């Protein structure tokens, strides 16, 4: 009869816990990626971009000293500790316990009357007589174990594991951003070095032109206006030189900050040739392996696990609390074996009744968070697709611009020679010479800028593809 009552009690508590169990959360279907041609892009195609030994050395320094990367490593350690906590939550706890206490029972209580009668019994020894003020000494082991009947602890462990993996993807994302940032600044500096060389070369040529026109003026073959125009052109070009030097200084300081160090000279290769063309369709497999996409996907998985854990919280939980040790009401009898050895185990089933509103609120919060993670993941995929498409178009278009600019520079250099020859023979004015020199200077600088844009496009494409550190 007692067993039947116990069974009915368990069924009643289970029914109370499950009668208002929320429905399982359903997320929208993911949108399919656009159909593309054959995927030919791989991260190996960027070897030439990162093959510069000076650039490699800078990246290695950043991996060791960049403060954001060091902070990301600590976040991974924290996520790993949270995962360990979630894993151990399903295991029983085991504690060494030592306790001492004393109780005085009233004369009109069951314990007081029972102890009084026990002391009068002829069946007990002197050591078994209970003091009026009853001490209680215990030394032993106590344990508590929640049986994961409905997978609540398992869902929490899954959420913690997904967040741990997400933190590692966050570090991958940061590493890729640092590499792309360093490479972008490095090639910007390389381009400014080339521009500085072009300007310095033009300054030498323009100084020669000023000297020549002064000689011609002294010989009566040129006017003061011609001298002033050539001199103004020289001064303008000299001003450009200092602007370039300031930009170089600013970028070097920025790069040093990215490396986690104070301002210092940045070693770089004197000349950077244009890398080979990178062509191909948008690779879906690389897009889905981007660290930010993977991170968003793992956060979504963690959100789903949180929802399952919040849903399981509505169901009854079973807890076992065993103990074993030495127990006595007299200190000198505590270690008298086997008489003082004691053990026990208790099991309890608890089901929420009055706190279901709080549980439902937590379930709603977890569901909303999972939905937010889903939409964030979808938008991350869309953003990644857009970044890859934009970077691919940039590389292709800038390569075509570079070819045209190369031809333009060759034509303008020939025009400068032609203008100089015509001016020396009196068939062209000094303004035509100045214009030709100015045009070739601008075209040379534009050619360097276009080459820089090709590199920047490749770096952006590498980052958009989710390159992890170095290819």
């Amino acid at each position: 009869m007692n067993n039947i009552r116990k069974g009915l009690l368990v069924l009643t508590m289970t029914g109370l816990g499950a009668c208002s169990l929320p429905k399982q959360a359903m997320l929208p279907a993911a949108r399919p990626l656009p159909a593309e041609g054959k995927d030919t892009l791989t991260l190996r195609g960027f070897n030439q971009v990162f093959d510069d030994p000076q650039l490699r050395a800078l990246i290695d320094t950043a991996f060791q000293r960049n403060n954001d990367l060091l902070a990301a490593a600590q976040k991974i350690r924290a996520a790993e500790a949270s995962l360990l906590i979630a894993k151990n939550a399903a295991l029983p706890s085991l504690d060494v316990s030592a306790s001492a206490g004393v109780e005085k029972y009233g004369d009109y209580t069951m314990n007081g009357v029972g102890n009084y009668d026990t002391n009068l019994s002829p069946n007990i020894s002197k050591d078994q007589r209970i003091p009026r003020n009853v001490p209680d000494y215990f030394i032993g082991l106590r344990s508590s174990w929640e049986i994961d009947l409905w997978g609540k602890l398992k869902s929490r462990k899954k959420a913690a594991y997904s967040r741990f993996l997400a933190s590692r993807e966050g570090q991958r994302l940061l590493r890729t951003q640092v590499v792309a940032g360093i490479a972008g600044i490095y090639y910007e500096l390389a381009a400014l070095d080339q521009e500085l060389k072009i300007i310095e070369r033009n300054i030498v040529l323009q100084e020669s032109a000023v000297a020549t026109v002064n000689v011609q003026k002294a010989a009566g073959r040129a006017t003061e206006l011609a001298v002033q125009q050539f001199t103004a052109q020289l001064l303008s070009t000299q001003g450009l030189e200092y602007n370039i030097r300031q930009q170089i200084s600013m970028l070097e300081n920025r790069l040093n900050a990215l490396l986690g160090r104070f301002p210092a000279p940045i070693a770089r290769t004197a000349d950077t040739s244009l890398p080979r063309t990178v062509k191909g369709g948008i690779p879906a497999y690389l897009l889905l392996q981007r660290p930010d996409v993977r991170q968003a996907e793992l956060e979504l998985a963690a959100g789903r696990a949180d929802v399952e854990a919040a849903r399981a919280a509505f169901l009854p939980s079973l807890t076992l609390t065993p103990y074993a040790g030495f127990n006595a009401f007299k200190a000198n009898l505590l270690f008298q074996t086997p008489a003082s050895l004691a053990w026990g185990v208790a099991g309890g089933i608890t089901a929420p009744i009055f706190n279901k509103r709080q549980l439902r609120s937590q379930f709603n919060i977890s569901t909303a968070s999972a939905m937010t993670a889903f939409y964030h993941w979808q938008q991350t995929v869309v953003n990644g697709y857009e970044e890859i498409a934009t970077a691919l178009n940039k590389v292709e278009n800038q390569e075509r611009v570079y070819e045209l600019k190369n031809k333009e520079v060759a034509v303008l250099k020939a025009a400068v020679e032609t203008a100089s020859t015509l001016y020396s023979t009196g068939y062209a004015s000094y303004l035509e010479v100045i214009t030709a020199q100015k045009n070739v200077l601008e075209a040379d600088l534009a050619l360097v800028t276009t080459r820089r844009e090709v590199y920047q496009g490749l770096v952006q494409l590498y980052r958009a593809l989710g390159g992890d550190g170095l290819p």
Side-chain angles (χ1 to χ4, degrees):
M1 188 68 177
N2 289 335
N3 290 334
I4 295 175
R5 289 179 179 177
K6 290 179 182 179
L8 290 175
L9 178 62
V10 171
L11 291 175
T12 301
M13 295 182 67
T14 303
L16 288 172
C19 63
S20 59
L21 191 66
K23 293 182 179 180
Q24 202 162 13
M26 299 297 293
L27 297 179
R31 298 169 188 162
L33 291 174
E36 287 291 335
K38 184 180 179 181
D39 297 338
T40 58
L41 277 177
T42 65
L43 291 175
R44 291 189 299 273
F46 295 87
N47 285 336
Q48 188 177 351
V49 178
F50 297 97
D51 197 37
D52 191 310
Q54 304 289 356
L55 175 58
R56 290 272 186 170
L58 293 174
I59 293 173
D60 290 340
T61 300
F63 285 166
Q64 297 174 7
R65 303 185 60 173
N66 181 271
N67 291 305
D68 291 331
L69 287 176
L70 295 176
Q74 296 304 314
K75 289 182 180 180
I76 291 178
R77 292 186 62 184
E80 189 174 9
S82 298
L83 174 60
L84 188 61
I85 292 173
K87 281 183 176 180
N88 292 333
L91 301 177
S93 65
L94 183 63
D95 302 313
V96 176
S97 177
S99 62
V102 63
E103 285 189 88
K104 194 275 181 187
Y105 298 109
D107 292 340
Y108 303 107
T109 62
M110 294 185 64
N111 286 330
V113 174
N115 291 344
Y116 180 80
D117 285 344
T118 300
N119 286 338
L120 297 177
S121 173
N123 298 323
I124 64 172
S125 66
K126 178 182 178 181
D127 289 338
Q128 291 176 314
R129 294 187 183 277
I130 303 171
R132 183 172 180 81
N133 298 325
V134 185
D136 184 42
Y137 302 98
F138 177 84
I139 294 179
L141 302 175
R142 294 186 183 275
S143 179
S144 178
W145 186 17
E146 181 181 352
I147 308 299
D148 194 17
L149 295 174
W150 319 108
K152 177 177 64 177
L153 300 180
K154 182 179 179 181
S155 295
R156 289 176 181 173
K157 182 174 71 172
K158 182 178 178 181
Y161 183 63
S162 296
R163 290 194 171 94
F164 167 67
L165 295 179
S167 68
R168 295 179 62 180
E169 293 297 330
Q171 186 188 45
R172 272 189 61 211
L173 174 62
L174 185 57
R175 283 171 63 93
T176 300
Q177 291 174 338
V178 168
V179 169
I182 291 173
I185 296 176
Y186 181 83
Y187 286 116
E188 185 81 15
L189 285 171
L192 290 174
D193 289 342
Q194 293 297 316
E195 290 182 7
L196 187 59
K197 287 181 180 179
I198 292 171
I199 290 172
E200 288 174 343
R201 185 169 63 246
N202 275 269
I203 287 175
V204 172
L205 294 175
Q206 290 172 14
E207 285 175 342
S208 176
V210 170
T212 299
V213 78
N214 272 295
V215 171
Q216 291 177 338
K217 176 190 171 185
R221 295 179 55 197
T223 63
E224 177 63 23
L225 180 59
V227 174
Q228 292 172 344
Q229 292 286 350
F230 275 104
T231 303
Q233 183 189 36
L234 172 62
L235 293 172
S236 176
T237 307
Q238 288 173 336
L240 287 176
E241 177 186 1
Y242 289 102
N243 285 334
I244 295 297
R245 292 186 184 278
Q246 173 58 28
Q247 293 180 47
I248 289 174
S249 176
M250 178 185 67
L251 287 177
E252 284 184 332
N253 292 335
R254 186 184 301 171
L255 183 52
N256 278 304
L258 193 57
L259 298 177
R261 68 188 188 188
F262 294 106
I266 300 294
R268 48 192 180 268
T269 302
D271 185 30
T272 55
S273 58
L274 197 66
R276 58 180 176 269
T277 302
V278 176
K279 293 183 181 296
I282 297 180
Y285 73 98
L286 279 180
L287 171 63
L288 296 179
Q289 291 302 314
R290 274 173 49 125
D292 56 343
V293 173
R294 288 284 300 139
Q295 185 180 28
E297 185 178 2
L298 289 166
E299 289 290 350
L300 174 59
R304 285 173 170 166
D306 285 339
V307 172
E308 290 303 316
R311 189 168 180 266
F314 285 82
L315 299 171
S317 59
L318 172 62
T319 304
L320 300 179
T321 54
Y323 73 91
F326 299 97
N327 193 202
F329 52 71
K330 293 181 181 178
N332 62 332
L333 301 176
L334 182 60
F335 296 106
Q336 295 293 324
T337 56
S340 61
L341 289 175
W343 63 270
V345 61
I349 294 180
T350 58
I353 296 178
F354 295 109
N355 62 335
K356 285 188 176 180
R357 288 187 178 180
Q358 292 90 328
L359 293 177
R360 186 168 293 278
S361 296
Q362 184 58 52
F363 176 79
N364 292 337
I365 291 172
S366 299
T367 302
S369 298
M371 292 294 294
T372 302
F374 172 80
Y375 291 121
H376 174 68
W377 170 62
Q378 285 281 274
Q379 189 58 43
T380 304
V381 173
V382 172
N383 292 344
Y385 192 91
E386 178 269 329
E387 289 176 7
I388 295 176
T390 300
L392 272 173
N393 291 334
K394 180 175 182 177
V395 171
E396 182 180 355
N397 291 328
Q398 290 300 320
E399 284 177 340
R400 292 178 179 176
V401 172
Y402 182 81
E403 294 175 0
L404 296 173
K405 283 292 180 184
N406 225 345
K407 295 177 181 179
E408 180 185 354
V409 169
V411 172
L412 290 175
K413 284 182 177 179
V416 169
E417 294 179 2
T418 301
S420 299
T421 302
L422 292 175
Y423 177 70
S424 62
T425 57
Y427 288 98
S429 67
Y430 65 89
L431 290 177
E432 291 176 299
V433 177
I434 292 174
T435 301
Q437 291 177 344
K438 181 180 179 180
N439 288 341
V440 77
L441 173 60
E442 292 176 350
D444 267 331
L445 295 177
L447 182 63
V448 173
T449 299
T450 304
R451 180 166 58 182
R452 177 188 61 198
E453 290 300 318
V454 173
Y455 268 103
Q456 295 291 359
L458 289 169
V459 171
Q460 291 172 16
L461 182 58
Y462 169 79
R463 177 178 177 179
L465 292 172
D468 181 13
L470 289 174

